[in-house]
C-alpha cells in the first residue's frame, strides 16, 4: 500500500507542477481509506516544506451536510494553508497558477493561542482572536472534479489559494449562524448563503478541526488561520473575473483574477 500511496502523491505533485489535471487518485487508494488519503496529502505537504514553504493555517472542507451525504461521509475533511497561497487585498491572482478553480465565500478565524488537550467549544471560543470574511479558491488536480472523499483529501482538501478581509471582528459581535453571505462575480450575485450552511455553525467545523488536530499531535497554534468552510455554493472562476464577498457584520473582501 505504501507504494500506491507514493504513486498517488507523485501524480498529484506532477499535476501541481504542470497545471494539467490527472485521473482520480482513488484508483490507487480506494474510495474509503481516509488514512491513506491523508498520508498522500502529507507527502506533498512535506515536499513543499522542504522547499521552504510555510504552513500558516488549516482549511476545513466538506462542511455542507448535503455534500457529505453526496460523497458518502459523515465528517468534513481538512487541508493545510501555505503562506505562498495567500493573496493579499489589492493583489491580482494569476489565472495561470490555478487548476479548475472555483470560489467560495467563508468565515475565517485567526487563533490567539495554542489549542491542545481535551478541547471544548468554550476552549475554542477563548482561543480565537477574531473572525473575518474570506474567499477561498478551491482547485482540483483531479480531472473534471470527478472526486470522492479520498481524492479531495489526498489533494490537500482541494486547497488552492485564499484571501482575507481587512475587518477583524470579535466573536461576541457577530451572529455566526444567521449572518448572510453574498458572493458577487463581476458585479452579479453568484452565490448566497449563511453561517448555518457550514455545519449549522462555522464554530462546529472549527471545533471538529481543533479536536482532530490535537488528537493527531499537531494542535492549532496562535496566529494560525482557519478557513471554516463555504457558506454557499462554489462558483467557477474564469480569466479576468472579479469576486466580492460580503458577509453580514464581517465586511467585504475582493479577489481579482488576471486575464
Amino acid at each position: 500500500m505504501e507504494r500506491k500511496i507514493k504513486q498517488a502523491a507523485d501524480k498529484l505533485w506532477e499535476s501541481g507542477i504542470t497545471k494539467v489535471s490527472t485521473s482520480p487518485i482513488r484508483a490507487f487508494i480506494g474510495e474509503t481509506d481516509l488514512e491513506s488519503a491523508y498520508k498522500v496529502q502529507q507527502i506533498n505537504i512535506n515536499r513543499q516544506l522542504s522547499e521552504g514553504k510555510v504552513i500558516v493555517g488549516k482549511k476545513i472542507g466538506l462542511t455542507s451536510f448535503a455534500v457529505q451525504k453526496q460523497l458518502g461521509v459523515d465528517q468534513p475533511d481538512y487541508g493545510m494553508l501555505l503562506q505562498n497561497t495567500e493573496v493579499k487585498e489589492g493583489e491580482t491572482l494569476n489565472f495561470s497558477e490555478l487548476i479548475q478553480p472555483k470560489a467560495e465565500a467563508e468565515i475565517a478565524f485567526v487563533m490567539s493561542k495554542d489549542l491542545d488537550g481535551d478541547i471544548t467549544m468554550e476552549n475554542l471560543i477563548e482561543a480565537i482572536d477574531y473572525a473575518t470574511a474570506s474567499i477561498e479558491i478551491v482547485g482540483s488536480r483531479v480531472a473534471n472534479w470527478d472526486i470522492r472523499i479520498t481524492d479531495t483529501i489526498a489533494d490537500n482538501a482541494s486547497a488552492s489559494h485564499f484571501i482575507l478581509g481587512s475587518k477583524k471582528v470579535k466573536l461576541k459581535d457577530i451572529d455566526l449562524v444567521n449572518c448572510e453571505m453574498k458572493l458577487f462575480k463581476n458585479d452579479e450575485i453568484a452565490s448566497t448563503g449563511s453561517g448555518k450552511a457550514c455545519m449549522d455553525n462555522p464554530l462546529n467545523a472549527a471545533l471538529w478541526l481543533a479536536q482532530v488536530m490535537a488528537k493527531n499531535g499537531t494542535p492549532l497554534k496562535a496566529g494560525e488561520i482557519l478557513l471554516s468552510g463555504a457558506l454557499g455554493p462554489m462558483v467557477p472562476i474564469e480569466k479576468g473575473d472579479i469576486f466580492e464577498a460580503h458577509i453580514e457584520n464581517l465586511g467585504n473582501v475582493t479577489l481579482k483574477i488576471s486575464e
Side-chain angles (χ1 to χ4, degrees):
M1 191 62 190
E2 292 303 316
R3 182 174 63 86
K4 290 184 176 180
I5 289 170
K6 177 65 162 52
Q7 287 177 321
D10 288 346
K11 276 182 74 74
L12 289 171
W13 185 256
E14 182 181 359
S15 175
I17 293 171
T18 64
K19 300 297 185 279
V20 176
S21 57
T22 187
S23 54
I25 296 307
R26 59 185 181 274
F28 296 92
I29 59 176
E31 292 193 17
T32 59
D33 187 352
L34 306 193
E35 182 179 356
S36 291
Y38 279 114
K39 286 182 179 179
V40 174
Q41 180 189 125
Q42 191 61 52
I43 287 172
N44 285 336
I45 290 297
N46 287 344
R47 281 170 162 162
Q48 294 187 77
L49 296 179
S50 71
E51 293 179 346
K53 307 286 176 56
V54 178
I55 293 173
V56 293
K58 316 302 194 290
K59 66 152 289 184
I60 310 164
L62 305 181
T63 52
S64 160
F65 292 133
V67 173
Q68 287 182 17
K69 186 175 181 181
Q70 179 185 344
L71 292 181
V73 295
D74 60 358
Q75 61 182 331
D77 67 352
Y78 65 84
M80 301 295 129
L81 299 177
L82 295 162
Q83 189 175 46
N84 61 299
T85 66
E86 181 174 4
V87 183
K88 300 297 185 180
E89 278 205 289
E91 291 180 349
T92 297
L93 178 60
N94 197 320
F95 186 81
S96 65
E97 295 184 36
L98 309 177
I99 305 175
Q100 303 186 112
K102 301 174 187 286
E104 298 178 337
E106 309 187 13
I107 294 173
F109 300 116
V110 176
M111 306 299 296
S112 61
K113 59 182 180 181
D114 297 357
L115 199 55
D116 203 357
D118 295 326
I119 301 162
T120 65
M121 182 64 81
E122 184 178 7
N123 300 147
L124 172 66
I125 290 171
E126 288 177 355
I128 290 174
D129 189 9
Y130 62 88
T132 190
S134 69
I135 297 175
E136 182 188 1
I137 302 94
V138 291
S140 182
R141 286 178 279 187
V142 177
N144 302 312
W145 280 87
D146 178 16
I147 61 172
R148 303 291 185 271
I149 180 67
T150 47
D151 294 300
T152 185
I153 288 173
D155 193 15
N156 196 27
S158 303
S160 178
H161 293 73
F162 67 98
I163 183 169
L164 303 181
S166 57
K167 187 175 182 180
K168 302 175 181 180
V169 181
K170 297 296 183 182
L171 296 191
K172 64 181 178 59
D173 296 324
I174 181 173
D175 182 346
L176 289 168
V177 174
N178 297 305
C179 61
E180 293 186 356
M181 177 279 292
K182 293 179 181 177
L183 180 62
F184 295 84
K185 177 178 176 175
N186 304 324
D187 295 326
E188 294 186 359
I189 290 182
S191 180
T192 60
S194 70
K196 187 175 176 63
C198 181
M199 293 179 67
D200 287 335
N201 184 333
L203 285 174
N204 290 335
L207 179 62
W208 173 84
L209 180 71
Q211 292 172 339
V212 168
M213 291 289 99
K215 182 180 177 182
N216 290 350
T218 54
L220 300 179
K221 296 186 177 299
E224 285 198 323
I225 300 160
L226 304 188
L227 299 184
S228 62
L231 304 187
M234 299 185 296
V235 181
I237 296 175
E238 280 94 29
K239 291 180 179 179
D241 280 343
I242 298 176
F243 288 89
E244 182 175 341
H246 174 79
I247 301 176
E248 189 177 3
N249 295 324
L250 283 175
N252 303 331
V253 59
T254 300
L255 171 69
K256 297 179 181 179
I257 308 294
S258 70
E259 294 286 351

